[in-house]
Amino acid sequence: MDTPYKDLRPDATSQTIADVRHRLFIIGDLATDSKSNFYDQELMDGVMKYKLRHALMPNYILSKEHIDQMNEPISDRIKTIMLNMERCRWIPPSLEDQQEYVMVNIPSFMLYFVRDKNFDIVSKVFIGTPLTKTVIFSGQIDRIVFSPYWYVPTSIIQNELKLKMAEDKNYLADHNMEWNGGKVRQKPGPDNALGLVKFMFPNPNDIYMHDSPSKSLFGFEKRIFSHGCINVEKAKDLAISMLKDYPEWTTDKIDATMSGEKETPFFLKKKIPIYIGYFTAWVTRDGNMNFYPDVYQRDTRLNGMLFPQDTAYKSDQE
């Protein structure tokens, strides 16, 4: 019977640690390979570098999932790079020429607000579950809504809310909700499902970006919790940054409109481009090659379209 895998932590000793050390040396996260089987400070630094390149929690624990990821064949890594080079062709050519734009990468669970070629805001996000996927999309952010109402989607009303209302007649009132024109909406406030600010960009999928009252969810490694919209950890910072060119929108005014008392929309005079992409491999500005989890299994499908004879790539996945 196989011995169950135990998470590797600093100061542990095992042959697996020596194997990890060698692998991190081969892929460039360690400058040397001491061949030691002791989890020392040098290995801790290498593990941290590896984890940051793979959108993993920045700690020194190595789980079985991490070991399996390290064991992914180099041939698969090369193919992943090729697939993402193809995806780069899908980015609107004019995007990088814009003075400012938002880019969201679904697999890395990150948002970047770029102004004058620099990252003005870098924020964690969480995205849609595999059943309610966040879509790849290119559009224009045309308004920011402070202290928004949340209009509950019909699917949630039918599949979740009606049952809860049947069990508890006070459910809507207890959750700061109300009927409005035949629909259910949640009133503005700190517990609103959209948080205290949302960012709108017209699209046929009715997705948008917004704040979240569930701040603890941003601490997870794989952040796939929403019904498709993009939840932004630094939503307030993003709003402040987007409104830098609007003198009337002082920090005090933004704080006041985010008080949760009244919905306040503001239409941007200059729309901000947004691109929601799906990149499982990306070279950062410091030249590091980063790999991210294929959360929606899009790599396997794209590989089947571009290289139909290649059945070995990620063959262990569904």
Side-chain angles (χ1 to χ4, degrees):
M1 185 176 178
D2 294 337
T3 303
Y5 177 87
K6 293 183 179 179
D7 288 350
L8 298 177
R9 300 170 184 269
D11 294 338
T13 301
S14 77
Q15 178 57 42
T16 304
I17 289 172
D19 295 339
V20 168
R21 187 186 301 277
H22 182 66
R23 178 55 57 87
L24 294 183
F25 168 69
I26 292 296
I27 62 179
D29 290 320
L30 278 177
T32 60
D33 179 8
S34 68
K35 303 188 184 306
S36 170
N37 63 0
F38 176 68
Y39 198 156
D40 56 12
Q41 183 63 52
E42 182 183 42
L43 185 59
M44 289 168 64
D45 294 342
V47 167
M48 182 61 70
K49 186 177 179 181
Y50 176 88
K51 286 200 166 189
L52 291 175
R53 289 197 306 108
H54 290 78
L56 301 171
M57 288 296 294
N59 58 37
Y60 302 115
I61 300 171
L62 288 173
S63 68
K64 184 178 184 302
E65 185 177 1
H66 299 142
I67 300 299
D68 290 343
Q69 186 182 55
M70 289 182 184
N71 286 330
E72 186 172 337
I74 296 299
S75 59
D76 278 10
R77 292 296 195 196
I78 293 172
K79 183 57 69 68
T80 297
I81 293 171
M82 293 172 65
L83 296 175
N84 283 276
M85 290 174 67
E86 170 65 21
R87 289 188 177 114
C88 286
R89 291 165 16 100
W90 306 347
I91 301 175
S94 60
L95 185 67
E96 197 172 1
D97 295 330
Q98 300 297 319
Q99 180 184 0
E100 56 186 13
Y101 62 90
V102 171
M103 188 164 191
V104 176
N105 186 20
I106 293 171
S108 67
F109 316 107
M110 294 297 294
L111 172 148
Y112 304 90
F113 180 42
V114 180
R115 176 181 280 118
D116 297 326
K117 309 295 185 181
N118 296 311
F119 292 149
D120 211 49
I121 299 292
V122 177
S123 176
K124 294 179 180 179
V125 300
F126 64 81
I127 59 170
T129 69
L131 292 177
T132 55
K133 296 179 178 67
T134 299
V135 298
I136 297 171
F137 177 79
S138 177
Q140 302 276 330
I141 299 173
D142 65 357
R143 64 193 183 278
I144 302 174
V145 182
F146 296 98
S147 299
Y149 282 99
W150 176 46
Y151 287 86
V152 184
T154 302
S155 60
I156 297 179
I157 295 175
Q158 297 296 332
N159 299 327
E160 303 175 28
L161 210 57
K162 281 191 173 181
L163 179 60
K164 293 175 180 177
M165 287 189 291
E167 294 175 346
D168 179 6
K169 64 180 182 180
N170 295 319
Y171 183 86
L172 292 186
D174 291 343
H175 290 81
N176 205 30
M177 294 180 174
E178 62 184 7
W179 284 102
N180 179 263
K183 296 184 178 181
V184 176
R185 68 180 184 182
Q186 189 176 33
K187 300 175 185 177
D191 296 325
N192 185 284
L194 306 184
L196 294 172
V197 61
K198 68 177 180 179
F199 306 84
M200 304 297 291
F201 36 96
N203 65 90
N205 299 288
D206 196 28
I207 64 167
Y208 44 89
M209 300 190 304
H210 61 82
D211 184 25
S212 172
S214 305
K215 301 300 184 186
S216 63
L217 295 180
F218 293 107
F220 283 77
E221 198 162 84
K222 288 188 177 179
R223 298 186 288 276
I224 45 176
F225 305 113
S226 81
H227 287 84
C229 288
I230 298 162
N231 293 243
V232 183
E233 182 179 39
K234 296 182 180 179
K236 179 179 178 180
D237 293 337
L238 182 61
I240 291 173
S241 183
M242 286 183 173
L243 295 173
K244 279 183 179 179
D245 295 332
Y246 299 85
E248 70 274 24
W249 281 98
T250 63
T251 301
D252 287 344
K253 181 175 180 179
I254 291 173
D255 285 339
T257 52
M258 288 181 68
S259 65
E261 295 179 4
K262 178 184 177 182
E263 181 176 87
T264 305
F266 176 71
F267 284 82
L268 299 172
K269 295 175 184 176
K270 182 182 178 182
K271 297 177 182 179
I272 299 175
I274 179 170
Y275 183 72
I276 302 169
Y278 192 95
F279 298 98
T280 53
W282 191 262
V283 179
T284 61
R285 293 188 172 188
D286 55 9
N288 282 318
M289 187 75 235
N290 288 15
F291 291 95
Y292 307 120
D294 185 13
V295 290
Y296 295 155
Q297 304 298 307
R298 291 186 181 274
D299 280 1
T300 307
R301 292 196 292 275
L302 181 58
N303 185 71
M305 295 169 61
L306 298 180
F307 309 101
Q309 304 304 316
D310 179 9
T311 58
Y313 175 70
K314 295 189 177 181
S315 57
D316 60 331
Q317 296 188 12
E318 294 180 359

